[in-house]
Every structure is written in structure tokens, then in C-alpha cells.
Coordinates of all heavy atoms in Angstrom, one line a residue:
M857 N 157.3 122.7 161.4 CA 158.6 122.3 161.0 C 159.6 123.5 161.5 O 159.3 124.6 161.4 CB 158.8 122.1 159.5 CG 160.1 121.8 159.1 SD 160.1 121.3 157.3 CE 161.8 121.8 156.9
L858 N 160.7 123.1 162.0 CA 161.7 124.0 162.4 C 162.4 124.5 161.2 O 163.2 123.8 160.6 CB 162.7 123.4 163.4 CG 162.2 122.9 164.7 CD1 163.3 122.2 165.5 CD2 161.6 124.0 165.5
K859 N 162.1 125.8 160.8 CA 162.7 126.3 159.6 C 164.1 126.8 159.7 O 164.8 126.8 158.7 CB 161.8 127.4 159.0 CG 160.4 126.9 158.7 CD 159.7 127.8 157.7 CE 158.3 127.2 157.5 NZ 158.2 126.4 156.4
D860 N 164.5 127.2 160.9 CA 165.8 127.7 161.1 C 166.8 126.5 161.2 O 166.7 125.7 162.1 CB 165.8 128.5 162.4 CG 167.1 129.2 162.7 OD1 168.0 129.2 161.8 OD2 167.2 129.8 163.8
L861 N 167.8 126.5 160.3 CA 168.7 125.4 160.3 C 169.5 125.3 161.6 O 169.8 124.2 162.1 CB 169.7 125.6 159.1 CG 170.7 124.5 158.9 CD1 170.0 123.1 158.7 CD2 171.6 124.8 157.8
S862 N 169.8 126.5 162.3 CA 170.6 126.4 163.5 C 169.7 125.8 164.6 O 170.3 125.1 165.5 CB 171.0 127.8 163.9 OG 169.9 128.6 164.2
T863 N 168.4 126.0 164.6 CA 167.6 125.3 165.6 C 167.5 123.8 165.4 O 167.6 123.1 166.3 CB 166.1 125.9 165.5 OG1 166.2 127.3 165.7 CG2 165.3 125.3 166.6
Q864 N 167.4 123.4 164.1 CA 167.4 122.0 163.8 C 168.8 121.3 164.3 O 168.8 120.3 164.8 CB 167.2 121.7 162.3 CG 165.9 122.1 161.8 CD 165.8 121.8 160.3 OE1 166.7 121.5 159.6 NE2 164.6 122.0 159.8
T865 N 169.8 122.0 164.0 CA 171.2 121.5 164.4 C 171.3 121.5 165.9 O 171.8 120.5 166.4 CB 172.3 122.5 163.8 OG1 172.1 122.6 162.4 CG2 173.6 121.9 164.1
E866 N 170.8 122.5 166.6 CA 170.8 122.5 168.0 C 170.0 121.3 168.6 O 170.5 120.6 169.6 CB 170.3 123.8 168.6 CG 170.5 123.9 170.1 CD 170.1 125.3 170.6 OE1 169.7 126.2 169.8 OE2 170.1 125.5 171.8
V867 N 168.8 121.1 168.1 CA 168.0 120.0 168.6 C 168.7 118.7 168.4 O 168.7 117.8 169.4 CB 166.6 120.0 167.9 CG1 165.8 118.8 168.2 CG2 165.8 121.2 168.4
T868 N 169.2 118.4 167.3 CA 169.9 117.1 167.0 C 171.1 116.9 167.8 O 171.4 115.9 168.3 CB 170.1 116.9 165.5 OG1 170.9 118.0 165.0 CG2 168.9 116.7 164.7
S869 N 171.9 118.0 168.0 CA 173.2 117.9 168.7 C 172.9 117.7 170.2 O 173.6 117.0 170.9 CB 174.1 119.1 168.5 OG 173.5 120.3 169.0
L870 N 171.8 118.4 170.7 CA 171.5 118.1 172.2 C 171.1 116.7 172.4 O 171.4 116.1 173.4 CB 170.4 119.1 172.6 CG 170.9 120.6 172.9 CD1 169.7 121.5 173.1 CD2 171.8 120.6 174.0
A871 N 170.3 116.2 171.5 CA 169.8 114.8 171.6 C 171.0 113.8 171.6 O 171.1 112.9 172.4 CB 168.8 114.4 170.6
A872 N 172.0 114.1 170.7 CA 173.2 113.3 170.6 C 174.0 113.4 171.9 O 174.6 112.5 172.4 CB 174.0 113.7 169.4
R873 N 174.2 114.7 172.3 CA 175.1 114.9 173.5 C 174.5 114.1 174.7 O 175.3 113.6 175.5 CB 175.1 116.4 173.8 CG 176.0 116.7 175.0 CD 176.0 118.1 175.5 NE 176.1 119.0 174.5 CZ 175.7 120.3 174.6 NH1 175.1 120.7 175.7 NH2 175.9 121.1 173.6
Y874 N 173.2 114.1 174.9 CA 172.7 113.5 176.1 C 172.2 112.0 175.8 O 171.6 111.4 176.6 CB 171.5 114.3 176.6 CG 172.0 115.6 177.2 CD1 171.8 116.8 176.5 CD2 172.6 115.6 178.4 CE1 172.2 118.0 177.0 CE2 173.1 116.8 179.0 CZ 172.9 118.0 178.3 OH 173.3 119.2 178.8
R875 N 172.7 111.6 174.6 CA 172.4 110.2 174.2 C 171.0 109.8 174.3 O 170.6 108.7 174.8 CB 173.3 109.2 175.0 CG 174.8 109.5 174.9 CD 175.7 108.6 175.7 NE 175.4 107.2 175.4 CZ 176.1 106.5 174.6 NH1 177.2 107.0 174.0 NH2 175.8 105.2 174.4
L876 N 170.1 110.7 173.8 CA 168.7 110.4 173.7 C 168.3 109.9 172.3 O 168.6 110.5 171.3 CB 167.9 111.7 173.9 CG 168.1 112.4 175.3 CD1 167.4 113.7 175.3 CD2 167.5 111.5 176.3
P877 N 167.8 108.7 172.2 CA 167.3 108.2 170.9 C 166.1 109.0 170.5 O 165.1 109.0 171.2 CB 167.0 106.7 171.2 CG 166.8 106.6 172.6 CD 167.6 107.7 173.3
A878 N 166.2 109.7 169.4 CA 165.1 110.6 169.1 C 164.6 110.2 167.7 O 165.4 109.9 166.8 CB 165.5 112.0 169.1
V879 N 163.3 110.3 167.5 CA 162.7 110.1 166.2 C 162.1 111.5 165.8 O 161.3 112.1 166.5 CB 161.5 109.1 166.2 CG1 160.9 108.9 164.9 CG2 162.1 107.7 166.7
Y880 N 162.5 112.0 164.6 CA 162.1 113.3 164.2 C 161.0 113.2 163.1 O 160.9 112.2 162.4 CB 163.3 114.0 163.6 CG 164.4 114.1 164.7 CD1 165.5 113.3 164.7 CD2 164.4 115.1 165.6 CE1 166.5 113.4 165.7 CE2 165.4 115.3 166.6 CZ 166.4 114.4 166.6 OH 167.4 114.5 167.5
P881 N 160.3 114.3 162.9 CA 159.2 114.3 161.9 C 159.6 114.5 160.5 O 158.9 114.2 159.5 CB 158.3 115.4 162.4 CG 159.1 116.3 163.1 CD 160.2 115.5 163.7
Y882 N 160.8 115.0 160.3 CA 161.3 115.4 158.9 C 162.7 114.8 158.6 O 163.5 114.8 159.5 CB 161.3 116.9 158.7 CG 160.0 117.6 159.1 CD1 159.9 118.3 160.2 CD2 158.9 117.4 158.3 CE1 158.7 118.9 160.5 CE2 157.7 118.0 158.6 CZ 157.6 118.7 159.7 OH 156.4 119.3 160.0
H883 N 162.9 114.5 157.4 CA 164.2 113.8 157.0 C 165.4 114.7 157.2 O 166.5 114.3 157.3 CB 164.1 113.3 155.6 CG 164.1 114.3 154.6 ND1 165.3 114.9 154.0 CD2 163.1 115.0 153.9 CE1 165.0 115.8 153.1 NE2 163.6 115.8 153.1
Q884 N 165.2 116.0 157.2 CA 166.3 117.0 157.4 C 167.1 116.7 158.7 O 168.3 117.0 158.8 CB 165.9 118.4 157.3 CG 165.4 118.9 156.0 CD 163.9 118.6 155.7 OE1 163.3 117.9 156.5 NE2 163.4 119.1 154.7
F885 N 166.4 116.2 159.7 CA 167.0 116.0 161.0 C 168.0 114.9 160.9 O 169.1 114.9 161.6 CB 166.0 115.7 162.1 CG 165.2 116.9 162.5 CD1 164.0 117.2 161.9 CD2 165.7 117.8 163.5 CE1 163.3 118.3 162.3 CE2 165.0 118.9 163.9 CZ 163.8 119.2 163.3
T886 N 167.7 113.8 160.1 CA 168.7 112.7 160.0 C 169.9 113.2 159.2 O 171.0 112.7 159.4 CB 168.1 111.5 159.3 OG1 167.6 111.9 158.0 CG2 167.0 110.9 160.1
E887 N 169.7 114.1 158.3 CA 170.9 114.7 157.6 C 171.8 115.5 158.5 O 173.0 115.6 158.2 CB 170.4 115.6 156.4 CG 169.7 114.8 155.3 CD 169.0 115.7 154.3 OE1 169.0 116.9 154.5 OE2 168.3 115.1 153.4
L888 N 171.3 116.0 159.6 CA 172.0 116.7 160.6 C 172.6 115.9 161.7 O 173.1 116.4 162.7 CB 171.2 117.9 161.1 CG 170.8 118.9 160.1 CD1 169.8 119.9 160.7 CD2 172.0 119.7 159.7
G889 N 172.4 114.6 161.6 CA 172.9 113.7 162.6 C 171.8 113.0 163.5 O 172.2 112.3 164.4
G890 N 170.6 113.3 163.2 CA 169.5 112.6 164.0 C 169.4 111.1 163.7 O 169.9 110.6 162.7
L891 N 168.9 110.4 164.7 CA 168.8 108.9 164.6 C 167.9 108.4 163.5 O 168.2 107.6 162.7 CB 168.5 108.3 166.0 CG 168.3 106.8 166.0 CD1 169.6 106.2 165.7 CD2 167.8 106.4 167.4
L892 N 166.6 108.9 163.5 CA 165.6 108.4 162.7 C 164.5 109.5 162.5 O 164.2 110.3 163.3 CB 165.0 107.2 163.4 CG 163.8 106.5 162.7 CD1 164.3 105.6 161.6 CD2 163.1 105.6 163.7
S893 N 164.0 109.5 161.3 CA 162.8 110.3 161.0 C 161.7 109.4 160.5 O 161.9 108.4 159.8 CB 163.1 111.4 160.0 OG 163.2 110.9 158.7
Y894 N 160.5 109.7 160.9 CA 159.3 109.0 160.5 C 158.1 109.9 160.4 O 157.8 110.6 161.4 CB 159.0 107.8 161.4 CG 157.8 107.0 160.9 CD1 158.0 106.0 159.9 CD2 156.6 107.2 161.5 CE1 157.0 105.3 159.5 CE2 155.5 106.4 161.0 CZ 155.7 105.4 160.1 OH 154.7 104.7 159.6
G895 N 157.5 110.0 159.3 CA 156.4 110.9 159.2 C 155.7 110.8 157.8 O 156.1 109.9 157.0
F896 N 154.6 111.5 157.6 CA 153.9 111.4 156.4 C 154.7 112.0 155.2 O 155.6 112.8 155.4 CB 152.5 112.1 156.5 CG 152.6 113.6 156.8 CD1 152.7 114.5 155.8 CD2 152.6 114.0 158.1 CE1 152.7 115.8 156.0 CE2 152.6 115.4 158.4 CZ 152.7 116.3 157.3
D897 N 154.4 111.6 154.0 CA 155.0 112.0 152.8 C 154.3 113.4 152.4 O 153.2 113.4 152.0 CB 154.9 111.0 151.7 CG 155.6 111.4 150.4 OD1 156.1 112.5 150.4 OD2 155.6 110.5 149.5
R898 N 155.0 114.5 152.6 CA 154.4 115.8 152.3 C 154.0 115.9 150.9 O 153.0 116.5 150.5 CB 155.3 116.9 152.8 CG 155.4 117.0 154.3 CD 156.1 118.2 154.8 NE 157.5 118.0 154.4 CZ 158.4 119.0 154.5 NH1 158.1 120.2 154.9 NH2 159.7 118.7 154.2
L899 N 154.9 115.5 150.0 CA 154.6 115.6 148.6 C 153.3 114.9 148.2 O 152.5 115.4 147.4 CB 155.8 115.1 147.7 CG 155.7 115.3 146.2 CD1 155.6 116.7 145.9 CD2 157.0 114.7 145.6
D900 N 153.1 113.7 148.7 CA 151.9 113.0 148.5 C 150.7 113.7 149.0 O 149.6 113.8 148.3 CB 151.9 111.6 149.1 CG 150.7 110.8 148.8 OD1 150.4 110.5 147.6 OD2 150.0 110.3 149.8
N901 N 150.8 114.4 150.1 CA 149.7 115.2 150.7 C 149.4 116.4 149.8 O 148.2 116.8 149.6 CB 150.0 115.6 152.1 CG 149.8 114.5 153.1 OD1 149.3 113.4 152.8 ND2 150.1 114.7 154.3
Y902 N 150.4 117.0 149.2 CA 150.2 118.1 148.3 C 149.4 117.7 147.1 O 148.6 118.4 146.6 CB 151.5 118.8 148.0 CG 152.3 119.4 149.1 CD1 153.6 119.5 149.1 CD2 151.6 120.0 150.2 CE1 154.3 120.0 150.2 CE2 152.3 120.6 151.2 CZ 153.7 120.6 151.2 OH 154.3 121.2 152.2
R903 N 149.8 116.5 146.6 CA 149.1 116.0 145.4 C 147.6 115.8 145.7 O 146.8 116.1 144.9 CB 149.8 114.7 144.9 CG 151.1 114.9 144.2 CD 151.6 113.6 143.7 NE 153.0 113.7 143.2 CZ 154.0 113.1 143.7 NH1 153.8 112.1 144.6 NH2 155.2 113.3 143.3
R904 N 147.4 115.2 146.8 CA 146.0 114.9 147.2 C 145.2 116.1 147.5 O 144.0 116.2 147.2 CB 146.0 114.0 148.4 CG 146.5 112.6 148.1 CD 146.9 111.7 149.3 NE 146.1 111.9 150.4 CZ 145.3 110.9 150.9 NH1 145.2 109.8 150.3 NH2 144.6 111.1 152.0
A905 N 145.9 117.2 148.0 CA 145.2 118.4 148.2 C 144.8 119.1 146.9 O 143.8 119.7 146.7 CB 146.1 119.4 149.0
A906 N 145.7 118.9 145.9 CA 145.4 119.5 144.6 C 144.2 118.8 143.9 O 143.4 119.5 143.3 CB 146.7 119.3 143.7
T907 N 144.0 117.5 144.2 CA 142.9 116.9 143.6 C 141.6 117.4 144.3 O 140.5 117.5 143.7 CB 142.9 115.3 143.7 OG1 143.0 115.0 145.1 CG2 144.1 114.8 143.0
Y908 N 141.7 117.7 145.6 CA 140.5 118.3 146.3 C 140.2 119.6 145.7 O 139.1 120.0 145.4 CB 140.9 118.5 147.8 CG 140.3 117.4 148.7 CD1 140.5 116.0 148.4 CD2 139.6 117.7 149.8 CE1 140.0 115.1 149.2 CE2 139.1 116.7 150.7 CZ 139.3 115.4 150.4 OH 138.8 114.5 151.2
A909 N 141.2 120.5 145.5 CA 141.0 121.8 144.9 C 140.4 121.7 143.5 O 139.5 122.5 143.2 CB 142.3 122.6 144.9
D910 N 140.9 120.7 142.8 CA 140.4 120.5 141.4 C 138.9 120.2 141.5 O 138.1 120.7 140.7 CB 141.2 119.4 140.7 CG 140.7 119.2 139.3 OD1 140.6 120.1 138.5 OD2 140.3 118.0 139.0
R911 N 138.5 119.3 142.4 CA 137.1 118.9 142.5 C 136.2 120.0 142.9 O 135.1 120.2 142.4 CB 137.0 117.7 143.5 CG 137.6 116.4 142.9 CD 137.7 115.3 144.0 NE 136.4 114.8 144.4 CZ 136.3 113.9 145.3 NH1 137.3 113.4 145.9 NH2 135.1 113.5 145.6
I912 N 136.7 120.9 143.8 CA 136.0 122.0 144.3 C 135.8 123.0 143.1 O 134.7 123.6 142.9 CB 136.6 122.7 145.5 CG1 136.5 121.7 146.7 CG2 136.0 124.0 145.8 CD1 137.4 122.1 147.9
L913 N 136.9 123.3 142.4 CA 136.8 124.2 141.3 C 135.9 123.7 140.2 O 135.4 124.5 139.4 CB 138.2 124.5 140.7 CG 139.1 125.3 141.7 CD1 140.5 125.4 141.1 CD2 138.6 126.7 141.9
K914 N 135.7 122.4 140.1 CA 134.8 121.9 139.1 C 133.4 121.8 139.6 O 132.5 121.3 138.9 CB 135.3 120.5 138.7 CG 136.5 120.5 137.8 CD 137.0 119.1 137.4 CE 138.2 119.2 136.5 NZ 138.7 117.9 136.2
G915 N 133.1 122.3 140.8 CA 131.7 122.5 141.3 C 131.3 121.5 142.4 O 130.2 121.6 142.8
A916 N 132.2 120.7 142.9 CA 131.9 119.8 144.0 C 131.6 120.6 145.3 O 132.3 121.7 145.5 CB 133.0 118.8 144.3
N917 N 130.7 120.2 146.1 CA 130.4 120.8 147.4 C 131.5 120.4 148.4 O 131.6 119.2 148.7 CB 129.0 120.4 147.8 CG 128.6 121.2 149.1 OD1 129.4 121.9 149.7 ND2 127.4 121.0 149.4
P918 N 132.3 121.3 148.9 CA 133.3 121.0 149.9 C 132.8 120.2 151.1 O 133.5 119.3 151.6 CB 133.9 122.3 150.3 CG 133.6 123.2 149.2 CD 132.3 122.8 148.6
S919 N 131.6 120.5 151.5 CA 131.1 119.7 152.7 C 130.8 118.3 152.4 O 130.6 117.5 153.3 CB 129.9 120.5 153.3 OG 128.8 120.4 152.3
E920 N 130.7 117.9 151.1 CA 130.4 116.6 150.7 C 131.6 115.7 150.4 O 131.5 114.5 150.2 CB 129.4 116.6 149.6 CG 128.0 117.1 149.9 CD 127.1 117.3 148.7 OE1 127.6 116.9 147.5 OE2 126.0 117.7 148.8
L921 N 132.8 116.4 150.4 CA 134.0 115.7 150.1 C 134.5 114.9 151.4 O 134.4 115.4 152.5 CB 135.1 116.6 149.7 CG 134.9 117.3 148.3 CD1 136.0 118.3 148.0 CD2 134.8 116.3 147.2
P922 N 135.0 113.7 151.2 CA 135.4 113.0 152.4 C 136.7 113.5 153.0 O 137.5 114.1 152.3 CB 135.7 111.6 151.8 CG 136.0 111.8 150.4 CD 135.2 113.0 150.0
V923 N 136.8 113.4 154.3 CA 138.0 113.8 155.0 C 139.0 112.7 154.9 O 138.7 111.5 155.0 CB 137.7 114.0 156.5 CG1 139.0 114.3 157.3 CG2 136.7 115.1 156.7
Q924 N 140.2 113.0 154.5 CA 141.2 112.0 154.3 C 142.4 112.3 155.3 O 142.8 113.4 155.5 CB 141.7 112.0 152.9 CG 140.7 111.6 151.9 CD 141.2 111.6 150.5 OE1 142.3 111.8 150.2 NE2 140.3 111.2 149.6
A925 N 143.0 111.2 155.7 CA 144.2 111.2 156.5 C 145.4 110.9 155.7 O 145.2 110.2 154.6 CB 144.1 110.3 157.7
P926 N 146.6 111.3 156.1 CA 147.8 110.8 155.3 C 147.8 109.3 155.2 O 147.6 108.6 156.2 CB 149.0 111.4 156.1 CG 148.4 112.5 156.9 CD 147.0 112.1 157.2
V927 N 148.2 108.8 154.0 CA 148.2 107.4 153.8 C 149.6 106.9 153.5 O 149.9 105.7 153.6 CB 147.2 106.9 152.7 CG1 145.8 107.2 153.1 CG2 147.6 107.6 151.4
K928 N 150.5 107.8 153.1 CA 151.8 107.4 152.7 C 152.8 107.9 153.8 O 152.9 109.1 154.0 CB 152.1 108.0 151.3 CG 153.1 107.2 150.5 CD 153.2 107.8 149.1 CE 154.1 107.1 148.3 NZ 154.2 107.8 146.9
N929 N 153.5 107.0 154.4 CA 154.5 107.4 155.4 C 155.9 107.1 154.9 O 156.1 106.2 154.1 CB 154.3 106.7 156.7 CG 153.0 107.2 157.4 OD1 152.7 108.3 157.4 ND2 152.2 106.2 157.9
K930 N 156.9 107.9 155.5 CA 158.3 107.7 155.1 C 159.1 107.5 156.4 O 158.9 108.2 157.4 CB 158.8 108.9 154.3 CG 158.3 109.0 153.0 CD 158.7 110.2 152.1 CE 160.0 110.9 152.4 NZ 160.3 112.0 151.5
G931 N 160.0 106.5 156.4 CA 160.9 106.4 157.5 C 162.3 106.4 156.9 O 162.7 105.7 155.9
I932 N 163.2 107.2 157.6 CA 164.6 107.3 157.1 C 165.5 107.2 158.3 O 165.3 107.9 159.3 CB 164.8 108.7 156.4 CG1 163.9 108.8 155.2 CG2 166.3 108.8 156.1 CD1 163.9 110.2 154.6
G933 N 166.4 106.3 158.2 CA 167.4 106.1 159.3 C 168.7 106.8 159.0 O 169.0 107.0 157.9
A934 N 169.4 107.1 160.0 CA 170.7 107.8 159.9 C 171.7 106.7 159.4 O 171.6 105.6 159.7 CB 171.1 108.4 161.1
A935 N 172.7 107.2 158.7 CA 173.8 106.3 158.2 C 174.7 106.0 159.4 O 174.9 106.8 160.3 CB 174.6 107.0 157.2
P936 N 175.2 104.7 159.5 CA 176.0 104.3 160.6 C 177.3 105.1 160.7 O 177.8 105.5 159.8 CB 176.2 102.9 160.5 CG 175.8 102.5 159.1 CD 175.0 103.7 158.6

């Protein structure tokens, strides 16, 4: 994720200047003028990671835990 707000602003403004329809991975880009953001729900992933940590701390073997992919996605469009 681009942590620097000036970099996020620059990326969205360049896409707008050159009229490039862009889809961004984080909702902060739409707040800065980006067209659309679509990506996984980070909060849901943190919750799921906490359940993994809990299972490991309770004695589960990490190599026996299933690999999981993000299941909850979010799409946010810019206001007209």
C-alpha cells in the first residue's frame, strides 16, 4: 500500500489528467478522486489470521492448518 498521502494523490491525479480509468486496491484512492477500488477486506483477513494464531497457541500444528485465500471483497466507486 502506498503509505505516503502525496504519492497516492499523485497517482490518482495523473490517472485523471490522462483520462485513464483506473481500479485501485484500497478505498483511500477513491477518496482522493480515483474511479474505483476493488480488493479484499483487510479487516476480515485480520480476524481470520487471529483465529489461526489462536489455534496455534492452543497447540494445533501449523503445517496441518489449511491455507486460506481472502473470501470477502469490497468494491467502492467514486461519487459522481
